[in-house]
Amino acid sequence: MKNILKQIIDSNKQVETAEKAAAAAEIANPSTKDSRRNFLRKTAVGGIALGGFMSMSTEDTIAQATSKVSRASKPSELKITDLRYCIVQNVGRTPIIRIDTNQGIYGLGEVRDGADERYALFLKSHLLGQNPCNVEQLFKSIKQFGYHGRQAGGVCGVEMALWDLCGKAYGVPCWQLLGGRYRDKVRLYADTPESNDINEFKQKIKFRTQDQGYTWLKMDISIGMLRNSEGGVVNNKFWGGGFSQWAGDYHSYANTKHPFTAIQITPKGLDEMAKVVEDVRSVIGYEIPLSSDHYGHFDLNNGIRLGKALDKYRLAWFEDMVPWEYTDQWKTISDALETPTLTGEDIYLKEGFKALIEQRAVDIVHPDLASSGGLLETKRIGDYAEDHGIAMAMHFAGTPVSFMANVHCAAATQNFLALEHHSVDVPWWESLVKTTDGRKLIDKGYAVVPLEAPGLGIELNEEEVKKHLHPKDKSFFAPTPDWNDKRSHDRLWS
């Protein structure tokens, strides 16, 4: 064996000597162009020839060639050194965070759409110097700083980035770290396209299902449909005649919880809303699941009346008919209707889902991974629901960073149904990232699960991201030293 190795080394050295002599002769030749001569000189200093460096042994060649390669060969010695962000103008505003380490690798995460990047920046002082691979330990130390809705965005964004880092450090996909996968592709659901012209609507549906390949759709069935209908609702004029569910002051219709508006839908209004659903069903047929959402702010009695009017269209689910925390009301609605019920996009942690699941108050749980606690906590929610015979769909509206966190979680959770894709018609959305294994991000209505790519399996396409930064904050992963210092003792027990 030693003789074979010696022969190989001697042979390499002979090749190196011959190449060095040939290069020297070419440099000395007056007919050699200056550009070629400069190239050969640079190669002799720092480049690689066919058999090795011209002035180095084979062993030195290998060492020099790999000196600038970013390694993560010692995950046990990884330390978090920084946390930075940029904000993409997508679904309003969506902060992307980056956690850096002492070994040159980094993890990407995302603060939920519409949330503040400071929810994540506040956590930086609790993370510096820590090993990012201790994901569960770090999550337990920072989860006290999250809450329901967008207030969970920082904790969840950090958790995503930690799993991305851990996967890169150990060279495996995030789904593998969650226990393995149940599927190689993740079914997506998308909004139905909008049009008042039935023929145009048919063409858009054909494009959505046949060209884009989506096999699950969702539509809004809102009392906003009755805006121009006389006598469709009761008590709307008290609220200024408005139907907006999203914008308004503290005393507005938009910010008044459903049971407290006293708005009712008249029989005429119910008929008009049902007709819209009937028209959509007549176009897409009954093979494609059709979910529903955004009905407006009215109480459980009107929710049940609307539900019964729509039961015959076999919708996939009624989503968020009343606020998620009203477990008893959800139980009443679910018991009264044939159509499955669903809620959960604003719930933080498994504890927030327990009552709904244990009382079977809903038929499907619907966590948003960027609010529910991140990858592992969302898988735990799905597993707990599975134990009680309840399925899990996943709410999502953000960039491809959070999208891929959802894909890994969905791949690793058995009772998963479908993942929302909110930006299906945004032409630049997919180009915000590059897949690290060359796969498509989405193929015919399904997200492609990375089978071997480490971590989340994506990197940012930085030039494309810079084109879509939020106009009020154009910074791009700028230093954040103001958030380095830990200034309080935050332990929750004495």
Side-chain angles (χ1 to χ4, degrees):
M1 183 67 180
K2 290 182 179 179
N3 290 333
I4 294 174
L5 289 173
K6 186 176 184 304
Q7 290 174 12
I8 293 172
I9 293 172
D10 289 344
S11 175
N12 283 337
K13 287 181 177 179
Q14 290 173 10
V15 172
E16 291 168 5
T17 301
E19 289 186 350
K20 181 178 179 181
E26 190 174 354
I27 291 172
N29 191 330
S31 64
T32 301
K33 293 182 178 180
D34 288 341
S35 59
R36 173 67 176 169
R37 189 176 286 113
N38 289 336
F39 168 75
L40 291 168
R41 285 170 177 159
K42 289 178 180 178
T43 301
V45 173
I48 300 178
L50 292 175
F53 283 107
M54 294 180 181
S55 59
M56 298 182 185
S57 68
T58 301
E59 295 87 344
D60 289 338
T61 296
I62 295 171
Q64 176 69 15
T66 60
S67 65
K68 294 183 180 180
V69 173
S70 181
R71 292 187 182 87
S73 58
K74 291 187 178 180
S76 63
E77 296 181 8
L78 265 179
K79 301 292 182 186
I80 294 172
T81 57
D82 207 351
L83 188 157
R84 302 185 181 194
Y85 76 93
C86 70
I87 304 173
V88 176
Q89 191 172 15
N90 177 67
V91 198
R93 65 190 315 277
T94 304
I96 296 173
I97 64 168
R98 191 186 77 200
I99 295 180
D100 297 330
T101 68
N102 60 335
Q103 292 184 24
I105 61 173
Y106 61 85
L108 295 173
E110 179 175 310
V111 182
R112 184 174 169 181
D113 62 287
D116 195 314
E117 62 279 4
R118 288 173 289 189
Y119 285 132
L121 290 169
F122 175 77
L123 305 173
K124 180 180 178 181
S125 63
H126 296 266
L127 300 170
L128 291 176
Q130 299 295 317
N131 188 322
C133 296
N134 295 325
V135 182
E136 186 174 34
Q137 176 202 345
L138 291 176
F139 175 73
K140 287 184 176 180
S141 71
I142 64 173
K143 73 176 185 179
Q144 63 176 297
F145 302 112
Y147 197 61
H148 302 296
R150 266 87 183 161
Q151 293 179 55
V155 172
C156 299
V158 165
E159 201 260 9
M160 293 180 214
L162 294 177
W163 281 120
D164 189 30
L165 264 168
C166 188
K168 290 174 179 175
Y170 285 98
V172 295
C174 288
W175 57 257
Q176 188 68 71
L177 297 169
L178 297 178
R181 72 182 190 276
Y182 287 94
R183 50 191 63 84
D184 294 344
K185 59 182 182 178
V186 169
R187 192 178 190 180
L188 304 176
Y189 75 83
D191 287 337
T192 57
E194 295 183 3
S195 176
N196 293 324
D197 181 277
I198 189 64
N199 292 319
E200 183 183 36
F201 180 70
K202 287 180 180 179
Q203 289 301 313
K204 288 185 175 183
I205 287 292
K206 181 180 178 182
F207 178 74
R208 179 76 90 235
T209 56
Q210 296 184 19
D211 296 351
Q212 294 180 309
Y214 288 89
T215 64
W216 193 311
L217 300 176
K218 185 167 82 170
M219 68 176 295
D220 292 349
I221 309 173
S222 169
I223 59 174
M225 297 172 176
L226 308 175
R227 183 176 284 104
N228 299 318
S229 174
E230 188 66 31
V233 292
V234 176
N235 199 42
N236 179 256
K237 290 182 179 179
F238 175 82
W239 299 101
F243 291 89
S244 173
Q245 301 175 44
W246 318 116
D249 63 25
Y250 185 77
H251 299 286
S252 70
Y253 165 79
N255 289 308
T256 300
K257 285 189 174 182
H258 300 45
F260 313 132
T261 66
I263 285 179
Q264 297 190 61
I265 310 171
T266 67
K268 177 186 176 184
L270 288 175
D271 289 343
E272 291 187 29
M273 295 172 76
K275 182 62 168 60
V276 174
V277 178
E278 184 176 326
D279 289 344
V280 173
R281 263 298 183 212
S282 70
V283 173
I284 70 171
Y286 279 83
E287 185 61 32
I288 294 178
L290 178 63
S291 302
S292 64
D293 191 12
H294 299 320
Y295 315 99
H297 295 191
F298 45 77
D299 65 10
L300 73 90
N301 301 295
N302 282 271
I304 291 171
R305 291 175 61 236
L306 177 60
K308 288 183 175 180
L310 301 180
D311 266 341
K312 62 183 177 181
Y313 301 111
R314 311 320 305 167
L315 297 176
W317 66 62
F318 291 131
E319 179 175 337
D320 296 336
M321 293 194 105
V322 293
W324 64 266
E325 63 265 37
Y326 297 140
T327 303
D328 292 343
Q329 293 193 26
W330 271 112
K331 176 69 171 169
T332 300
I333 292 171
S334 297
D335 288 346
L337 301 178
E338 298 175 7
T339 302
T341 56
L342 167 150
T343 196
E345 68 182 66
D346 294 314
I347 301 178
Y348 183 51
L349 303 181
K350 185 177 77 173
E351 287 77 7
F353 283 89
K354 275 189 169 183
L356 288 165
I357 292 171
E358 291 170 355
Q359 297 180 41
R360 198 177 174 86
V362 292
D363 300 293
I364 306 168
V365 292
H366 194 224
D368 186 310
L369 185 144
S371 279
S372 58
L375 283 79
L376 181 57
E377 187 73 3
T378 304
K379 174 174 166 51
R380 285 174 170 158
I381 291 164
D383 291 345
Y384 194 69
E386 181 187 357
D387 289 343
H388 291 76
I390 292 173
M392 180 178 78
M394 298 175 74
H395 178 274
F396 162 75
T399 80
V401 174
S402 181
F403 177 79
M404 282 310 303
N406 278 273
V407 168
H408 283 272
C409 181
T413 309
Q414 186 170 14
N415 63 334
F416 165 80
L417 293 177
L419 167 65
E420 182 171 16
H421 181 19
H422 197 70
S423 300
V424 64
D425 294 320
V426 178
W428 47 265
W429 186 87
E430 291 185 43
S431 63
L432 291 174
V433 300
K434 297 172 284 189
T435 60
T436 55
D437 55 359
R439 74 188 184 282
K440 289 183 177 180
L441 199 68
I442 297 172
D443 187 25
K444 288 295 183 181
Y446 286 82
V448 182
V449 177
L451 300 185
E452 295 182 356
L456 294 178
I458 54 169
E459 296 294 347
L460 293 180
N461 183 347
E462 295 190 356
E463 294 308 311
E464 188 66 28
V465 171
K466 289 176 182 178
K467 295 177 185 177
H468 304 287
L469 295 175
H470 197 275
K472 291 187 177 181
D473 189 341
K474 292 284 190 176
S475 63
F476 185 77
F477 298 113
T480 56
D482 290 348
W483 300 89
N484 288 359
D485 297 332
K486 190 175 180 180
R487 302 189 181 106
S488 64
H489 181 65
D490 297 306
R491 197 177 70 195
L492 299 180
W493 45 273
S494 298

